[in-house]
Amino acid sequence: MESLAAKEDGESQHLLNCWVPILEAIGEPAEKSRNGSVRQQAISLLTDILLDRHGSRIPVDSGLCEIMNTICIPLAGKRITDLLRIPYDVQNDLEETLIELELCISLLFKPFLHHLKALISVKHEFVGIWISMLGIMTQLLGEESSLQNEEDDVGVREDGVTRAKLFQTTKELGSEHLRNAIMVLAAMGVLIDDEGDDSTKKRSDDAQEISAVTWAAIGSIGYCKPYLEEWKSSACQ
């Protein structure tokens, strides 16, 4: 039995050793290519690989968490930041920008939810990953974005209105993904209502800690703040 377990561990480590260089190689053009189509294809491929059935075989703490922390989250965060900072006087295809933003949001949430059961088994790493994701969503969904400030400066123009509409669509999608993740975490007992009744508050200290951080972050996000109590009620009923 021990030899079988050792063999499985060896195979998992071997898979990880093969996987990481491939993921890093895909992440390179996803981040740095000047061709939007290449970036989109690379981000999409990276997401699909992490959803592959073999992903469940890699070690969680030394593999999956490291991939999330060093590849997925930094890549998605950097691309979202760069896309939100595109100046108004730069000629770019707004539809392509929207597609890439949507792919970055998927790269954040789809692997996270797909491997959630494994991730929450390593508390410290899970909390770090979740806080990093909340940070990126705060930037994306914040009330005062650089795009809004630029629009105020240049006035309402035909291309400005179109630009605002496209990024509003992105905020709606990001908010939907965030809400879905919160509902799943609540269903698994990871999130609770920190202002709930005594029976709710008696749950684990870990749940209280993660919940306090989560609700505070949601409350600080301008786009999501109006939905805070609704989300709490739906998630923790």
Side-chain angles (χ1 to χ4, degrees):
M1 186 67 70
E2 291 182 0
S3 61
L4 179 59
K7 180 180 179 181
E8 291 178 349
D9 289 343
E11 290 176 349
S12 297
Q13 189 61 45
H14 177 69
L15 177 62
L16 177 63
N17 292 340
C18 295
W19 242 35
V20 172
I22 294 173
L23 296 176
E24 291 174 341
I26 297 172
E28 183 82 9
E31 176 184 348
K32 298 180 180 179
S33 176
R34 298 176 64 87
N35 187 304
S37 296
V38 172
R39 292 196 305 271
Q40 291 172 23
Q41 290 294 329
I43 295 171
S44 180
L45 180 59
L46 192 57
T47 303
D48 289 344
I49 290 177
L50 290 169
L51 299 181
D52 184 83
R53 61 185 177 85
H54 295 296
S56 60
R57 296 174 53 194
I58 65 174
V60 180
D61 51 352
S62 62
L64 185 58
C65 291
E66 183 177 352
I67 290 170
M68 292 291 294
N69 279 319
T70 63
I71 300 177
C72 298
I73 294 175
L75 171 59
K78 184 177 187 307
R79 287 308 306 150
I80 288 173
T81 298
D82 290 346
L83 290 167
L84 292 179
R85 288 178 176 172
I86 296 175
Y88 266 82
D89 56 357
V90 172
Q91 296 297 320
N92 63 300
D93 188 329
L94 296 181
E95 293 288 351
E96 293 297 310
T97 300
L98 178 59
I99 290 172
E100 189 169 347
L101 281 167
E102 292 175 343
L103 289 171
C104 289
I105 294 171
S106 293
L107 178 60
L108 272 182
F109 284 98
K110 286 186 176 180
F112 174 77
L113 290 176
H114 185 76
H115 296 287
L116 184 56
K117 184 177 292 187
L119 290 172
I120 61 178
S121 68
V122 282
K123 180 216 166 187
H124 181 72
E125 287 80 1
F126 166 75
V127 172
I129 289 171
W130 180 235
I131 290 176
S132 296
M133 292 173 63
L134 289 174
I136 294 174
M137 297 312 292
T138 299
Q139 179 185 18
L140 176 63
L141 302 174
E143 188 171 15
E144 293 294 334
S145 69
S146 59
L147 288 173
Q148 183 63 51
N149 292 335
E150 289 172 6
E151 187 172 333
D152 291 341
D153 290 338
V154 301
V156 178
R157 307 178 308 190
E158 182 179 354
D159 58 340
V161 172
T162 302
R163 183 187 183 93
K165 181 179 179 181
L166 289 174
F167 281 95
Q168 177 67 19
T169 301
T170 303
K171 286 193 173 189
E172 291 173 355
L173 179 66
S175 177
E176 180 182 339
H177 275 275
L178 180 58
R179 182 186 185 279
N180 182 48
I182 287 172
M183 297 304 152
V184 174
L185 288 171
M188 299 181 71
V190 178
L191 290 181
I192 60 175
D193 185 351
D194 54 358
E195 298 177 354
D197 56 30
D198 292 339
S199 62
T200 300
K201 291 182 178 180
K202 287 180 181 177
R203 297 186 193 178
S204 72
D205 292 339
D206 291 347
Q208 291 189 36
E209 176 187 349
I210 296 172
S211 300
V213 171
T214 300
W215 301 130
I218 301 300
S220 70
I221 299 175
Y223 189 84
C224 298
K225 189 174 182 178
Y227 309 114
L228 175 59
E229 294 305 320
E230 176 190 339
W231 289 9
K232 273 189 177 184
S233 176
S234 298
C236 303
Q237 59 185 348

